[in-house]
Protein backbone atom coordinates (compact mmCIF):
# COMPACT_ATOMS: atom_id res chain seq x y z
CA UNK A 1 0.00 0.00 0.00
CA UNK A 2 2.90 2.33 0.82
CA UNK A 3 4.41 1.59 -2.60
CA UNK A 4 1.10 2.26 -4.32
CA UNK A 5 0.67 5.55 -2.46
CA UNK A 6 4.09 6.71 -3.57
CA UNK A 7 3.39 5.52 -7.10
CA UNK A 8 0.14 7.53 -7.17
CA UNK A 9 1.91 10.62 -5.78
CA UNK A 10 4.57 10.35 -8.49
CA UNK A 11 1.89 10.45 -11.16
CA UNK A 12 0.10 13.46 -9.69
CA UNK A 13 0.38 17.18 -10.18
CA UNK A 14 -1.58 17.99 -7.05
CA UNK A 15 -1.44 15.96 -3.86
CA UNK A 16 -3.75 16.36 -0.86
CA UNK A 17 -2.28 15.05 2.38
CA UNK A 18 -5.02 14.53 4.93
CA UNK A 19 -4.46 14.25 8.63
CA UNK A 20 -6.82 14.11 11.56
CA UNK A 21 -7.04 17.73 12.74
CA UNK A 22 -8.06 16.59 16.23
CA UNK A 23 -5.07 14.28 16.57
CA UNK A 24 -2.48 16.40 14.78
CA UNK A 25 0.65 15.40 12.91
CA UNK A 26 1.52 11.80 13.71
CA UNK A 27 4.63 9.80 12.83
CA UNK A 28 3.03 8.25 9.75
CA UNK A 29 2.06 11.68 8.37
CA UNK A 30 5.67 12.80 8.88
CA UNK A 31 6.81 9.66 7.06
CA UNK A 32 4.54 10.46 4.09
CA UNK A 33 5.85 14.04 4.07
CA UNK A 34 9.43 12.73 3.99
CA UNK A 35 8.61 10.61 0.92
CA UNK A 36 6.94 13.49 -0.80
CA UNK A 37 9.97 15.67 -0.20
CA UNK A 38 12.19 12.93 -1.59
CA UNK A 39 10.26 12.86 -4.89
CA UNK A 40 10.56 16.64 -5.15
CA UNK A 41 7.10 17.80 -4.02
CA UNK A 42 6.68 21.51 -3.30
CA UNK A 43 4.03 23.37 -1.27
CA UNK A 44 1.02 24.61 -3.21
CA UNK A 45 1.09 28.38 -3.39
CA UNK A 46 -2.31 30.02 -3.85
CA UNK A 47 -0.81 32.86 -5.91
CA UNK A 48 1.40 30.72 -8.08
CA UNK A 49 -0.88 27.67 -8.35
CA UNK A 50 0.82 24.84 -10.17
CA UNK A 51 3.16 27.28 -11.89
CA UNK A 52 6.58 25.87 -12.48
CA UNK A 53 5.16 22.40 -13.08
CA UNK A 54 4.51 23.01 -16.80
CA UNK A 55 7.96 21.89 -17.68
CA UNK A 56 7.40 18.77 -15.64
CA UNK A 57 4.09 18.06 -17.39
CA UNK A 58 6.03 17.80 -20.62
CA UNK A 59 8.22 15.22 -18.97
CA UNK A 60 5.21 12.90 -18.90
CA UNK A 61 6.02 11.65 -22.33
CA UNK A 62 9.40 10.53 -21.19
CA UNK A 63 9.60 7.22 -19.44
CA UNK A 64 11.37 8.69 -16.47
CA UNK A 65 8.56 9.61 -14.10
CA UNK A 66 10.99 10.97 -11.54
CA UNK A 67 11.77 13.84 -13.87
CA UNK A 68 8.52 15.44 -12.75
CA UNK A 69 9.90 17.47 -9.86
CA UNK A 70 7.14 20.01 -9.28
CA UNK A 71 4.27 18.13 -7.72
CA UNK A 72 2.33 20.44 -5.41
CA UNK A 73 1.15 19.44 -1.96
CA UNK A 74 -1.79 20.80 0.02
CA UNK A 75 -2.22 19.83 3.68
CA UNK A 76 -5.78 19.22 4.82
CA UNK A 77 -6.66 19.05 8.50
CA UNK A 78 -9.77 16.89 8.52
CA UNK A 79 -12.53 16.28 11.07
CA UNK A 80 -12.68 19.95 12.09
CA UNK A 81 -16.42 20.25 11.77
CA UNK A 82 -19.02 21.97 13.88
CA UNK A 83 -17.92 22.65 17.42
CA UNK A 84 -14.23 21.87 17.19
CA UNK A 85 -13.88 24.28 14.33
CA UNK A 86 -15.87 27.06 15.96
CA UNK A 87 -14.03 26.65 19.23
CA UNK A 88 -10.77 27.41 17.55
CA UNK A 89 -12.05 30.94 17.08
CA UNK A 90 -13.85 31.29 20.33
CA UNK A 91 -10.75 30.66 22.37
CA UNK A 92 -12.19 27.67 24.25
CA UNK A 93 -9.83 25.02 25.56
CA UNK A 94 -9.99 22.67 22.57
CA UNK A 95 -9.22 25.57 20.24
CA UNK A 96 -5.68 25.96 21.47
CA UNK A 97 -5.05 22.25 20.94
CA UNK A 98 -6.37 22.43 17.41
CA UNK A 99 -4.44 25.61 16.73
CA UNK A 100 -1.33 23.81 18.00
CA UNK A 101 -2.02 21.01 15.53
CA UNK A 102 -2.41 23.46 12.69
CA UNK A 103 0.79 25.24 13.69
CA UNK A 104 2.72 21.97 13.85
CA UNK A 105 1.43 21.19 10.36
CA UNK A 106 2.93 24.46 9.10
CA UNK A 107 6.32 23.34 10.40
CA UNK A 108 6.28 20.46 7.88
CA UNK A 109 7.24 22.96 5.21
CA UNK A 110 4.16 22.50 3.00
CA UNK A 111 2.35 25.69 3.94
CA UNK A 112 -0.67 26.14 6.18
CA UNK A 113 -3.12 23.28 6.54
CA UNK A 114 -6.67 23.95 5.35
CA UNK A 115 -9.20 22.97 8.03
CA UNK A 116 -11.96 20.83 6.53
CA UNK A 117 -14.61 18.32 7.43
CA UNK A 118 -14.91 15.73 4.71
CA UNK A 119 -17.94 14.21 6.39
CA UNK A 120 -19.85 17.46 6.81
CA UNK A 121 -18.61 19.16 3.67
CA UNK A 122 -17.05 22.11 5.47
CA UNK A 123 -14.03 23.71 3.81
CA UNK A 124 -14.61 21.77 0.61
CA UNK A 125 -15.16 25.02 -1.29
CA UNK A 126 -11.50 25.91 -0.65
CA UNK A 127 -10.43 22.57 -2.11
CA UNK A 128 -12.74 23.06 -5.08
CA UNK A 129 -11.08 26.40 -5.86
CA UNK A 130 -7.60 24.83 -5.74
CA UNK A 131 -8.69 21.99 -8.04
CA UNK A 132 -10.43 24.34 -10.42
CA UNK A 133 -7.41 26.66 -10.67
CA UNK A 134 -5.08 23.71 -11.16
CA UNK A 135 -7.30 22.26 -13.87
CA UNK A 136 -7.32 25.59 -15.68
CA UNK A 137 -3.52 25.53 -15.66
CA UNK A 138 -3.46 21.91 -16.80
CA UNK A 139 -5.75 22.45 -19.79
CA UNK A 140 -3.17 22.02 -22.53
CA UNK A 141 -2.40 18.55 -21.26
CA UNK A 142 -5.90 17.51 -20.27
CA UNK A 143 -5.80 14.47 -22.52
CA UNK A 144 -2.69 13.13 -20.90
CA UNK A 145 -3.11 9.80 -19.22
CA UNK A 146 -1.89 8.96 -15.77
CA UNK A 147 1.66 8.64 -16.90
CA UNK A 148 1.60 4.99 -17.89
CA UNK A 149 1.91 6.03 -21.53
CA UNK A 150 4.92 4.27 -22.92
CA UNK A 151 4.76 5.63 -26.43
CA UNK A 152 4.65 9.20 -27.64
CA UNK A 153 2.81 7.98 -30.77
CA UNK A 154 -0.38 7.53 -28.75
CA UNK A 155 -3.28 8.90 -30.69
CA UNK A 156 -5.04 10.57 -27.80
CA UNK A 157 -8.14 11.25 -29.83
CA UNK A 158 -8.85 7.56 -30.37
CA UNK A 159 -11.44 6.20 -27.98
CA UNK A 160 -9.84 3.93 -25.42
CA UNK A 161 -10.75 0.28 -25.51
CA UNK A 162 -12.61 -0.43 -22.27
CA UNK A 163 -11.11 -3.63 -20.91
CA UNK A 164 -12.36 -5.15 -17.65
CA UNK A 165 -10.32 -7.86 -15.93
CA UNK A 166 -12.72 -10.07 -13.97
CA UNK A 167 -12.40 -13.29 -12.05
CA UNK A 168 -12.48 -14.89 -8.64
CA UNK A 169 -10.34 -13.53 -5.84
CA UNK A 170 -6.67 -14.45 -5.99
CA UNK A 171 -6.61 -15.68 -9.60
CA UNK A 172 -3.98 -13.03 -10.41
CA UNK A 173 -5.95 -10.09 -11.84
CA UNK A 174 -3.69 -7.47 -10.29
CA UNK A 175 -0.56 -9.42 -11.21
CA UNK A 176 -1.77 -9.55 -14.82
CA UNK A 177 -2.38 -5.79 -14.88
CA UNK A 178 1.06 -5.12 -13.46
CA UNK A 179 2.55 -7.47 -16.05
CA UNK A 180 0.72 -5.66 -18.86
CA UNK A 181 1.81 -2.24 -17.60
CA UNK A 182 5.28 -3.55 -16.75
CA UNK A 183 5.14 -1.83 -13.39
CA UNK A 184 3.61 -2.31 -9.97
CA UNK A 185 0.53 -0.22 -10.54
CA UNK A 186 -1.98 -2.21 -8.50
CA UNK A 187 -1.57 -4.00 -5.22
CA UNK A 188 -1.37 -7.76 -5.48
CA UNK A 189 -0.58 -10.48 -3.02
CA UNK A 190 -1.73 -13.80 -1.61
CA UNK A 191 -4.25 -12.21 0.80
CA UNK A 192 -7.69 -12.57 -0.83
CA UNK A 193 -9.65 -9.36 -1.33
CA UNK A 194 -6.75 -6.92 -1.55
CA UNK A 195 -8.48 -5.17 -4.43
CA UNK A 196 -11.59 -3.55 -2.98
CA UNK A 197 -12.33 -0.97 -5.66
CA UNK A 198 -12.61 -1.33 -9.37
CA UNK A 199 -9.40 0.48 -10.33
CA UNK A 200 -9.38 2.19 -13.70
CA UNK A 201 -6.07 2.82 -15.44
CA UNK A 202 -5.46 4.57 -18.73
CA UNK A 203 -2.79 2.88 -20.76
CA UNK A 204 -1.47 2.73 -24.27
CA UNK A 205 -0.70 -0.51 -26.06
CA UNK A 206 1.33 0.05 -29.23
CA UNK A 207 -0.15 3.53 -29.60
CA UNK A 208 -3.73 2.35 -29.04
CA UNK A 209 -5.53 3.73 -26.01
CA UNK A 210 -6.80 1.26 -23.43
CA UNK A 211 -8.76 1.84 -20.23
CA UNK A 212 -7.96 -1.08 -17.95
CA UNK A 213 -10.43 -1.86 -15.20
CA UNK A 214 -9.12 -4.12 -12.44
CA UNK A 215 -12.14 -5.39 -10.57
CA UNK A 216 -12.49 -6.84 -7.12
CA UNK A 217 -12.78 -10.62 -7.21
CA UNK A 218 -16.35 -11.85 -7.24
CA UNK A 219 -17.15 -14.38 -4.51
CA UNK A 220 -20.25 -16.52 -4.27
CA UNK A 221 -23.05 -14.62 -2.52
CA UNK A 222 -23.11 -17.22 0.26
CA UNK A 223 -19.38 -16.82 0.83
CA UNK A 224 -19.53 -13.06 0.88
CA UNK A 225 -19.03 -11.30 4.16
CA UNK A 226 -22.21 -9.24 4.35
CA UNK A 227 -21.07 -7.49 7.51
CA UNK A 228 -18.45 -5.97 5.24
CA UNK A 229 -20.38 -3.56 3.07
CA UNK A 230 -17.14 -2.68 1.25
CA UNK A 231 -17.12 -6.17 -0.23
CA UNK A 232 -20.70 -5.87 -1.41
CA UNK A 233 -19.80 -2.54 -2.99
CA UNK A 234 -16.76 -4.16 -4.62
CA UNK A 235 -19.01 -6.77 -6.23
CA UNK A 236 -21.35 -4.06 -7.48
CA UNK A 237 -18.34 -2.24 -8.92
CA UNK A 238 -17.20 -5.41 -10.73
CA UNK A 239 -20.67 -5.86 -12.18
CA UNK A 240 -20.69 -2.22 -13.23
CA UNK A 241 -17.28 -2.68 -14.82
CA UNK A 242 -18.73 -5.42 -17.06
CA UNK A 243 -21.48 -3.00 -18.08
CA UNK A 244 -19.07 -0.27 -19.16
CA UNK A 245 -16.49 -2.63 -20.66
CA UNK A 246 -16.28 -3.50 -24.32
CA UNK A 247 -14.14 -6.57 -23.79
CA UNK A 248 -14.11 -8.59 -20.58
CA UNK A 249 -11.14 -10.78 -19.74
CA UNK A 250 -12.32 -13.63 -17.53
CA UNK A 251 -9.23 -14.72 -15.64
CA UNK A 252 -9.12 -18.31 -14.39
CA UNK A 253 -6.74 -20.14 -12.14
CA UNK A 254 -5.28 -23.02 -14.14
CA UNK A 255 -5.00 -24.98 -10.91
CA UNK A 256 -8.75 -25.66 -11.00
CA UNK A 257 -9.78 -27.74 -13.99
CA UNK A 258 -13.44 -26.83 -13.80
CA UNK A 259 -15.05 -23.44 -14.15
CA UNK A 260 -16.61 -22.42 -10.87
CA UNK A 261 -20.14 -21.11 -10.54
CA UNK A 262 -18.86 -17.56 -10.09
CA UNK A 263 -16.82 -17.84 -13.26
CA UNK A 264 -19.82 -19.09 -15.18
CA UNK A 265 -21.89 -16.27 -13.71
CA UNK A 266 -19.31 -13.74 -14.94
CA UNK A 267 -19.59 -15.30 -18.42
CA UNK A 268 -23.37 -15.07 -18.06
CA UNK A 269 -23.16 -11.36 -17.14
CA UNK A 270 -20.91 -10.75 -20.15
CA UNK A 271 -23.47 -12.34 -22.49
CA UNK A 272 -26.37 -10.54 -20.83
CA UNK A 273 -24.64 -7.19 -21.20
CA UNK A 274 -23.65 -8.08 -24.76
CA UNK A 275 -19.87 -7.70 -24.28
CA UNK A 276 -17.01 -9.57 -25.94
CA UNK A 277 -15.39 -12.27 -23.82
CA UNK A 278 -11.78 -13.41 -23.77
CA UNK A 279 -10.91 -16.20 -21.34
CA UNK A 280 -7.41 -16.24 -19.89
CA UNK A 281 -6.13 -19.16 -17.85
CA UNK A 282 -3.45 -17.89 -15.47
CA UNK A 283 -0.81 -19.64 -13.35
CA UNK A 284 0.13 -22.04 -16.16
CA UNK A 285 3.53 -22.42 -14.50
CA UNK A 286 1.80 -24.45 -11.79
CA UNK A 287 0.58 -26.95 -14.39
CA UNK A 288 4.08 -28.19 -15.18
CA UNK A 289 3.81 -31.09 -12.78
CA UNK A 290 0.06 -31.57 -13.05
CA UNK A 291 -1.71 -34.50 -14.67
CA UNK A 292 -3.13 -32.43 -17.55
CA UNK A 293 -1.36 -30.35 -20.20
CA UNK A 294 -1.93 -26.73 -21.19
CA UNK A 295 -3.82 -27.72 -24.37
CA UNK A 296 -6.01 -30.16 -22.49
CA UNK A 297 -6.85 -27.43 -20.00
CA UNK A 298 -7.75 -24.93 -22.73
CA UNK A 299 -9.91 -27.55 -24.51
CA UNK A 300 -11.67 -28.42 -21.22
CA UNK A 301 -12.46 -24.74 -20.53
CA UNK A 302 -13.83 -24.26 -24.06
CA UNK A 303 -16.00 -27.35 -23.75
CA UNK A 304 -17.49 -26.28 -20.43
CA UNK A 305 -18.24 -22.78 -21.69
CA UNK A 306 -19.86 -24.09 -24.85
CA UNK A 307 -21.93 -26.68 -23.02
CA UNK A 308 -23.34 -24.01 -20.73
CA UNK A 309 -23.58 -21.15 -23.24
CA UNK A 310 -23.79 -22.38 -26.87
CA UNK A 311 -23.19 -18.85 -28.16
CA UNK A 312 -19.75 -18.90 -26.50
CA UNK A 313 -18.41 -21.65 -28.78
CA UNK A 314 -14.85 -21.10 -29.96
CA UNK A 315 -14.37 -18.28 -27.41
CA UNK A 316 -10.71 -17.23 -27.42
CA UNK A 317 -8.96 -18.98 -24.53
CA UNK A 318 -5.34 -18.08 -23.74
CA UNK A 319 -2.97 -19.74 -21.33
CA UNK A 320 -0.53 -17.46 -19.50
CA UNK A 321 1.55 -17.06 -16.40
CA UNK A 322 1.23 -13.46 -15.25
CA UNK A 323 3.86 -13.95 -12.57
CA UNK A 324 6.47 -15.12 -15.09
CA UNK A 325 5.35 -12.86 -17.93
CA UNK A 326 4.68 -15.91 -20.09
CA UNK A 327 2.12 -15.55 -22.88
CA UNK A 328 1.25 -11.93 -21.89
CA UNK A 329 2.22 -10.56 -25.31
CA UNK A 330 -0.53 -12.65 -26.97
CA UNK A 331 -3.31 -11.09 -24.93
CA UNK A 332 -3.72 -7.58 -26.34
CA UNK A 333 -3.86 -8.59 -30.05
CA UNK A 334 -6.67 -11.04 -29.17
CA UNK A 335 -8.46 -8.37 -27.12
CA UNK A 336 -8.28 -5.78 -29.91
CA UNK A 337 -9.48 -8.28 -32.52
CA UNK A 338 -12.40 -9.17 -30.25
CA UNK A 339 -13.33 -5.49 -29.84
CA UNK A 340 -13.03 -4.73 -33.54
CA UNK A 341 -15.25 -7.69 -34.51
CA UNK A 342 -17.72 -6.92 -31.73
CA UNK A 343 -18.08 -3.27 -32.81
CA UNK A 344 -18.06 -4.06 -36.53
CA UNK A 345 -21.03 -3.09 -38.69
CA UNK A 346 -21.33 -5.36 -41.71
CA UNK A 347 -22.56 -3.96 -45.00
CA UNK A 348 -26.10 -4.97 -45.91
CA UNK A 349 -25.02 -6.28 -49.32
CA UNK A 350 -22.44 -8.63 -47.75
CA UNK A 351 -24.97 -9.76 -45.16
CA UNK A 352 -27.61 -10.58 -47.74
CA UNK A 353 -25.19 -12.50 -49.91
CA UNK A 354 -24.27 -14.50 -46.81
CA UNK A 355 -27.97 -15.05 -46.05
CA UNK A 356 -28.73 -16.26 -49.55
CA UNK A 357 -25.83 -18.78 -49.39
CA UNK A 358 -26.72 -20.04 -45.94
CA UNK A 359 -30.42 -20.47 -46.80
CA UNK A 360 -29.45 -22.28 -50.00
CA UNK A 361 -27.32 -24.80 -48.12
CA UNK A 362 -30.08 -25.47 -45.57
CA UNK A 363 -33.59 -24.17 -46.15
CA UNK A 364 -35.76 -23.24 -43.16
CA UNK A 365 -38.21 -25.95 -42.08
CA UNK A 366 -41.94 -25.68 -42.79
CA UNK A 367 -43.63 -23.31 -40.36
CA UNK A 368 -46.11 -24.61 -37.72
CA UNK A 369 -48.89 -23.04 -39.78
CA UNK A 370 -47.88 -25.24 -42.72
CA UNK A 371 -46.46 -22.30 -44.68
CA UNK A 372 -43.12 -22.43 -46.41
CA UNK A 373 -40.78 -20.05 -44.56
CA UNK A 374 -39.19 -17.42 -46.71
CA UNK A 375 -36.39 -15.29 -45.19
CA UNK A 376 -36.35 -12.27 -47.42
CA UNK A 377 -33.49 -10.17 -46.16
CA UNK A 378 -31.34 -9.27 -43.19
CA UNK A 379 -30.24 -5.93 -41.73
CA UNK A 380 -27.76 -5.13 -38.98
CA UNK A 381 -29.64 -2.89 -36.59
CA UNK A 382 -26.63 -2.21 -34.36
CA UNK A 383 -23.10 -3.27 -33.45
CA UNK A 384 -21.75 -3.63 -29.87
CA UNK A 385 -23.15 -6.37 -29.62
CA UNK A 386 -23.87 -7.35 -33.22
CA UNK A 387 -27.65 -7.33 -33.60
CA UNK A 388 -29.63 -8.25 -36.71
CA UNK A 389 -33.18 -8.24 -37.97
CA UNK A 390 -34.38 -11.00 -40.28
CA UNK A 391 -37.34 -10.07 -42.46
CA UNK A 392 -39.52 -13.13 -43.06
CA UNK A 393 -43.00 -14.05 -44.28
CA UNK A 394 -43.70 -15.42 -40.78
CA UNK A 395 -43.52 -13.93 -37.29
CA UNK A 396 -40.98 -16.34 -35.86
CA UNK A 397 -38.40 -18.87 -36.93
CA UNK A 398 -37.77 -22.19 -35.19
CA UNK A 399 -35.13 -21.64 -32.45
CA UNK A 400 -32.97 -24.42 -33.91
CA UNK A 401 -32.86 -22.66 -37.28
CA UNK A 402 -31.92 -19.30 -35.68
CA UNK A 403 -29.13 -21.15 -33.84
CA UNK A 404 -27.99 -22.62 -37.17
CA UNK A 405 -27.95 -19.13 -38.71
CA UNK A 406 -26.00 -17.67 -35.76
CA UNK A 407 -23.47 -20.54 -35.78
CA UNK A 408 -22.91 -20.11 -39.49
CA UNK A 409 -22.69 -16.34 -39.08
CA UNK A 410 -20.08 -16.64 -36.31
CA UNK A 411 -17.98 -18.99 -38.46
CA UNK A 412 -18.22 -16.78 -41.54
CA UNK A 413 -17.48 -13.47 -39.80
CA UNK A 414 -15.24 -14.92 -37.06
CA UNK A 415 -17.35 -13.45 -34.28
CA UNK A 416 -16.53 -15.70 -31.35
CA UNK A 417 -16.84 -15.07 -27.63
CA UNK A 418 -19.85 -12.80 -27.98
CA UNK A 419 -23.57 -13.03 -28.26
CA UNK A 420 -24.84 -12.49 -31.80
CA UNK A 421 -28.46 -11.45 -31.62
CA UNK A 422 -30.96 -12.14 -34.41
CA UNK A 423 -34.59 -11.10 -34.19
CA UNK A 424 -37.35 -11.92 -36.70
CA UNK A 425 -39.79 -9.47 -38.19
CA UNK A 426 -42.71 -10.36 -40.40
CA UNK A 427 -42.61 -8.35 -43.59
CA UNK A 428 -44.51 -8.37 -46.87
CA UNK A 429 -41.65 -6.69 -48.65
CA UNK A 430 -39.25 -8.43 -50.94
CA UNK A 431 -35.52 -8.14 -50.44
CA UNK A 432 -34.66 -4.62 -51.61
CA UNK A 433 -31.02 -5.60 -51.73
CA UNK A 434 -31.51 -8.21 -54.47
CA UNK A 435 -31.03 -6.87 -57.97
CA UNK A 436 -32.99 -8.06 -61.02
CA UNK A 437 -36.50 -8.21 -62.34
CA UNK A 438 -37.93 -9.70 -59.13
CA UNK A 439 -37.02 -6.58 -57.26
CA UNK A 440 -40.49 -5.53 -56.20
CA UNK A 441 -41.22 -3.18 -53.38
CA UNK A 442 -43.84 -0.79 -52.18
CA UNK A 443 -47.57 -0.57 -52.11
CA UNK A 444 -49.25 -2.26 -55.03
CA UNK A 445 -46.05 -4.12 -55.92
CA UNK A 446 -44.69 -1.21 -57.93
CA UNK A 447 -41.04 -1.48 -58.79
CA UNK A 448 -38.78 0.78 -56.84
CA UNK A 449 -38.02 3.93 -58.79
CA UNK A 450 -40.27 2.90 -61.67
CA UNK A 451 -43.63 4.39 -62.55
CA UNK A 452 -42.88 8.08 -62.21
CA UNK A 453 -45.35 10.66 -60.91
CA UNK A 454 -48.41 8.48 -61.54
CA UNK A 455 -47.30 5.68 -59.28
CA UNK A 456 -45.90 8.02 -56.63
CA UNK A 457 -49.30 9.73 -56.48
CA UNK A 458 -51.10 6.36 -56.33
CA UNK A 459 -48.91 5.22 -53.43
CA UNK A 460 -49.37 8.50 -51.59
CA UNK A 461 -53.16 8.39 -51.94
CA UNK A 462 -53.21 4.81 -50.63
CA UNK A 463 -51.21 5.83 -47.56
CA UNK A 464 -53.57 8.77 -46.94
CA UNK A 465 -56.58 6.47 -47.26
CA UNK A 466 -55.10 3.98 -44.83
CA UNK A 467 -54.63 6.78 -42.27
CA UNK A 468 -58.17 8.11 -42.89
CA UNK A 469 -57.09 11.44 -44.47
CA UNK A 470 -58.51 12.76 -47.74
CA UNK A 471 -56.24 13.59 -50.64
CA UNK A 472 -56.17 17.32 -51.40
CA UNK A 473 -56.80 18.94 -54.73
CA UNK A 474 -53.82 19.68 -56.93
CA UNK A 475 -52.02 16.51 -55.91
CA UNK A 476 -51.26 15.59 -59.48
CA UNK A 477 -49.26 18.80 -59.91
CA UNK A 478 -47.34 18.25 -56.68
CA UNK A 479 -46.44 14.74 -57.74
CA UNK A 480 -45.52 15.42 -61.32
CA UNK A 481 -41.79 15.91 -61.88
CA UNK A 482 -42.54 19.34 -63.33
CA UNK A 483 -44.55 20.41 -60.29
CA UNK A 484 -41.80 19.13 -57.98
CA UNK A 485 -39.07 21.07 -59.71
CA UNK A 486 -41.19 24.23 -59.73
CA UNK A 487 -41.81 24.05 -56.01
P1 LIG B 1 -6.22 -10.99 -7.55
O1 LIG B 1 -6.89 -11.11 -6.23
O2 LIG B 1 -6.98 -11.74 -8.60
O3 LIG B 1 -5.91 -9.58 -7.96
O4 LIG B 1 -4.83 -11.78 -7.42
P2 LIG B 1 -3.35 -11.21 -7.26
O5 LIG B 1 -2.86 -10.59 -8.51
O6 LIG B 1 -3.29 -10.39 -6.02
O7 LIG B 1 -2.54 -12.58 -7.09
C1 LIG B 1 -2.85 -13.51 -6.08
C2 LIG B 1 -1.65 -14.41 -5.84
O8 LIG B 1 -1.42 -15.24 -6.97
C3 LIG B 1 -0.34 -13.65 -5.61
O9 LIG B 1 0.36 -14.26 -4.55
C4 LIG B 1 0.41 -13.79 -6.90
O10 LIG B 1 1.80 -13.77 -6.72
C5 LIG B 1 -0.07 -15.16 -7.38
N1 LIG B 1 0.02 -15.28 -8.85
C6 LIG B 1 -0.47 -14.41 -9.77
N2 LIG B 1 -0.19 -14.85 -11.02
C7 LIG B 1 0.50 -16.00 -10.90
C8 LIG B 1 1.09 -16.92 -11.85
O11 LIG B 1 1.05 -16.76 -13.05
N3 LIG B 1 1.72 -18.01 -11.30
C9 LIG B 1 1.79 -18.23 -9.97
N4 LIG B 1 2.43 -19.32 -9.56
N5 LIG B 1 1.26 -17.39 -9.06
C10 LIG B 1 0.63 -16.28 -9.50
Amino acid sequence: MMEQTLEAAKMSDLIFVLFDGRVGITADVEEIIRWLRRIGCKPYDEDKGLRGSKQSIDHRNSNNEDNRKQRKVVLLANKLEGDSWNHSFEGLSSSSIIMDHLRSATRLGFGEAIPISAEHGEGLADIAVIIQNSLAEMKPSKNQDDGVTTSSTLNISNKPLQLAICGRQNVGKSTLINALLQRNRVICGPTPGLTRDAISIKWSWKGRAVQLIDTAGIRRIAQRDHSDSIEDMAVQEATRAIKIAEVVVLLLDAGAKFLSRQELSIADAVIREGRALVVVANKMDLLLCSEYSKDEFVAAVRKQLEQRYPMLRKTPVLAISALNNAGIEDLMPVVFTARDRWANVIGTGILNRWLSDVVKSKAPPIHDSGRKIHIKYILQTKGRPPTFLLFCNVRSLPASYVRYLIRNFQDTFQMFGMDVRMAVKESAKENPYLRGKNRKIGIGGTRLGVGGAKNRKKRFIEVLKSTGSRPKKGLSRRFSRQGKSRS
Side-chain angles (χ1 to χ4, degrees), residues 168-176 187-190 193-195 214 282-286 320-324:
R168 281 185 296 123
Q169 283 183 353
N170 241 10
V171 288
K173 297 180 291 298
S174 306
T175 311
L176 172 62
I187 305 169
C188 52
L194 270 181
T195 308
D214 177 21
N282 188 29
K283 307 196 186 181
M284 274 295 152
D285 52 308
L286 299 180
I320 63 159
S321 170
L323 197 64
N324 304 329

Side-chain angles (χ1 to χ4, degrees), residues 328-401:
I328 301 285
E329 65 287 351
D330 300 333
L331 178 58
M332 290 315 289
V334 173
V335 164
F336 268 100
T337 308
R339 199 268 298 254
D340 293 346
R341 299 215 167 119
W342 172 77
N344 194 15
V345 175
I346 302 166
T348 312
I350 299 172
L351 271 178
N352 280 280
R353 280 194 289 282
W354 163 78
L355 180 69
S356 135
D357 289 347
V358 77
V359 170
K360 246 182 241 158
S361 65
K362 183 181 170 185
I366 299 295
H367 193 252
D368 294 344
S369 61
R371 286 169 76 189
K372 195 176 167 203
I373 295 178
H374 186 33
I375 307 175
K376 293 161 183 174
Y377 62 102
I378 180 170
L379 282 182
Q380 181 161 6
T381 49
K382 69 183 195 79
R384 318 159 60 98
T387 309
F388 303 88
L389 203 51
L390 291 159
F391 290 86
C392 305
N393 61 340
V394 286
R395 271 205 194 139
S396 62
L397 286 174
S400 61
Y401 195 74

Side-chain angles (χ1 to χ4, degrees), residues 13 48-61 67-72 133-142 144:
D13 294 290
K48 288 188 189 156
L50 291 180
R51 228 169 293 154
S53 60
K54 246 201 162 47
Q55 179 205 357
S56 59
I57 292 166
D58 296 338
H59 281 297
R60 282 180 159 215
N61 282 335
N67 282 343
R68 305 180 60 238
K69 297 287 183 206
Q70 301 280 341
R71 304 163 189 102
K72 297 293 167 111
N133 292 345
S134 306
L135 275 177
E137 281 186 62
M138 299 281 301
K139 251 190 185 140
S141 63
K142 67 177 178 200
Q144 291 283 358

Side-chain angles (χ1 to χ4, degrees), residues 277-451:
L277 180 70
V278 173
V279 179
V280 178
N282 188 29
K283 307 196 186 181
M284 274 295 152
D285 52 308
L286 299 180
L287 277 196
L288 287 177
C289 41
S290 128
E291 81 275 19
Y292 48 91
S293 72
K294 179 173 131 180
D295 291 343
E296 279 169 347
F297 179 79
V298 168
V301 168
R302 275 223 176 97
K303 196 169 159 206
Q304 283 175 70
L305 267 180
E306 195 178 330
Q307 269 173 355
R308 183 71 181 259
Y309 304 107
M311 66 285 270
L312 288 183
R313 55 193 271 282
K314 299 191 190 172
T315 294
V317 181
L318 299 178
I320 63 159
S321 170
L323 197 64
N324 304 329
N325 256 317
I328 301 285
E329 65 287 351
D330 300 333
L331 178 58
M332 290 315 289
V334 173
V335 164
F336 268 100
T337 308
R339 199 268 298 254
D340 293 346
R341 299 215 167 119
W342 172 77
N344 194 15
V345 175
I346 302 166
T348 312
I350 299 172
L351 271 178
N352 280 280
R353 280 194 289 282
W354 163 78
L355 180 69
S356 135
D357 289 347
V358 77
V359 170
K360 246 182 241 158
S361 65
K362 183 181 170 185
I366 299 295
H367 193 252
D368 294 344
S369 61
R371 286 169 76 189
K372 195 176 167 203
I373 295 178
H374 186 33
I375 307 175
K376 293 161 183 174
Y377 62 102
I378 180 170
L379 282 182
Q380 181 161 6
T381 49
K382 69 183 195 79
R384 318 159 60 98
T387 309
F388 303 88
L389 203 51
L390 291 159
F391 290 86
C392 305
N393 61 340
V394 286
R395 271 205 194 139
S396 62
L397 286 174
S400 61
Y401 195 74
V402 176
R403 273 201 302 276
Y404 158 74
L405 289 177
I406 291 177
R407 256 200 323 272
N408 195 301
F409 177 88
Q410 286 186 316
D411 287 335
T412 309
F413 297 97
Q414 300 280 300
M415 289 204 178
F416 301 118
M418 65 192 83
D419 192 17
V420 172
R421 299 171 180 179
M422 286 191 186
V424 177
K425 189 169 167 39
E426 190 178 8
S427 145
K429 289 177 190 167
E430 287 299 320
N431 183 356
Y433 300 96
L434 276 182
R435 305 218 167 271
K437 60 182 180 185
N438 291 335
R439 193 181 171 198
K440 285 181 178 177
I441 191 167
I443 302 159
T446 54
R447 285 207 201 149
L448 193 74
V450 178

